[in-house]
Amino acid sequence: MKNSAPASLVPVGTRVPPRWRKEVERVLITEQQIARRIHAMSRDIERDFRGRETVVVSLLNGTVMFLADLIRHLSLPLRLDFIGVSSYGAGTESGELVFTKELRLDMRGRDVLLVDDILDTGRTLSRVIPKLRALKPRRIKMVVLLDKPERRVEKVEADYVGFTIPNVFVVGYGLDYAEKYRNLPFVGVLKPEIYQR
Ligand code: IMP
Ligand code: MG
């Protein structure tokens, strides 16, 4: 089931907070829009998971805020595990992938909810999914906050998508550029001069 909301126009008059105005061009998704959407997604997930024993597998580090906000709305018997995937280099392209933290929990026969911040080329998730499948879960469902379908290289789609966004480089709400900007409470478009330097 494909289920996503387009990144709709932010309310008229929404401005980048002064502290970030030098680096962030505009707010793409506000804190309030994110909160409302996550609440709706959590209801969809709860309905599909029907109270089954669930393992939530979250990709480090970009999912921190999304994960925290999502799981507090999930009334499911769930366990939490993390997998670390990192791409070399600090650019805007995902390069060579290395696993920096392996899974710890037993997934056999469980329902797995795989959580990622953004589905871009799909290279990351297409490497992670076979690793999870090898652990014999009952099924794997994937949730991402953001989806950039224009950039897709691998054949991978999420079951739950927060917002479908255009091909722009975004930061905030967990997403980084060179490990910065994860702490912004909104999703913003980074000024190109920041990553073109
Ligand atoms: P993929 O492997 O190309 O699908 O990329 C997935 C990863 O690249 C995400 O988990 C992010 O860490 C990173 N990424 C992709 N697009 C963006 C973006 O616009 N801003 C910040 N990080 C991004
Ligand atoms: Mg990242």
Side-chain angles (χ1 to χ4, degrees):
M1 175 194 53
K2 181 84 182 183
N3 175 8
S4 80
S8 49
L9 291 176
V10 298
V12 178
T14 302
R15 305 187 64 194
V16 175
R19 165 65 184 85
W20 302 108
R21 222 163 269 165
K22 266 195 345 224
E23 295 140 285
V24 176
E25 194 168 84
R26 65 189 163 99
V27 174
L28 185 67
I29 311 171
T30 67
E31 220 176 320
Q32 289 75 14
Q33 288 171 322
I34 295 169
R36 254 184 259 124
R37 183 69 191 128
I38 290 179
H39 200 207
M41 290 165 87
S42 67
R43 284 195 297 266
D44 293 340
I45 293 168
E46 268 187 359
R47 197 186 49 237
D48 293 350
F49 279 66
R50 297 162 185 256
R52 287 199 185 89
E53 288 287 338
T54 298
V55 179
V56 173
V57 171
S58 201
L59 274 84
L60 297 170
N61 296 330
T63 56
V64 276
M65 289 207 200
F66 178 42
L67 176 75
D69 287 341
L70 181 72
I71 65 171
R72 79 183 74 201
H73 293 300
L74 294 179
S75 304
L76 291 169
L78 67 81
R79 294 172 175 80
L80 188 55
D81 206 348
F82 292 93
I83 186 164
V85 194
S86 188
S87 49
Y88 280 120
T92 59
E93 294 289 323
S94 47
E96 173 89 4
L97 292 181
V98 279
F99 286 93
T100 55
K101 187 206 167 285
E102 296 290 342
L103 293 163
R104 304 297 297 271
L105 294 181
D106 186 11
M107 314 274 162
R108 192 173 290 266
R110 296 262 156 84
D111 281 28
V112 168
L113 181 66
L114 179 57
V115 182
D116 203 4
D117 53 359
I118 183 167
L119 181 50
D120 186 35
T121 63
R123 287 196 186 101
T124 308
L125 287 173
S126 68
R127 285 282 307 279
V128 170
I129 293 162
K131 249 178 124 69
L132 276 174
R133 287 231 173 86
L135 302 171
K136 307 277 185 235
R138 195 179 80 92
R139 64 174 187 176
I140 302 168
K141 292 278 182 183
M142 230 186 312
V143 57
V144 295
L145 179 70
L146 305 174
D147 185 9
K148 268 192 225 173
E150 285 170 50
R151 295 250 313 160
R152 202 80 83 253
V153 171
E154 297 290 333
K155 204 164 168 256
V156 38
E157 294 303 327
D159 299 283
Y160 313 95
V161 173
F163 300 89
T164 300
I165 65 167
N167 184 12
V168 287
F169 194 80
V170 291
V171 292
Y173 199 72
L175 289 115
D176 72 303
Y177 170 67
E179 297 303 326
K180 284 171 72 186
Y181 311 108
R182 294 195 198 273
N183 52 324
L184 312 198
F186 56 89
V187 173
V189 179
L190 196 62
K191 288 188 177 172
E193 64 251 38
I194 302 292
Y195 54 81
Q196 280 164 3
R197 277 205 280 253

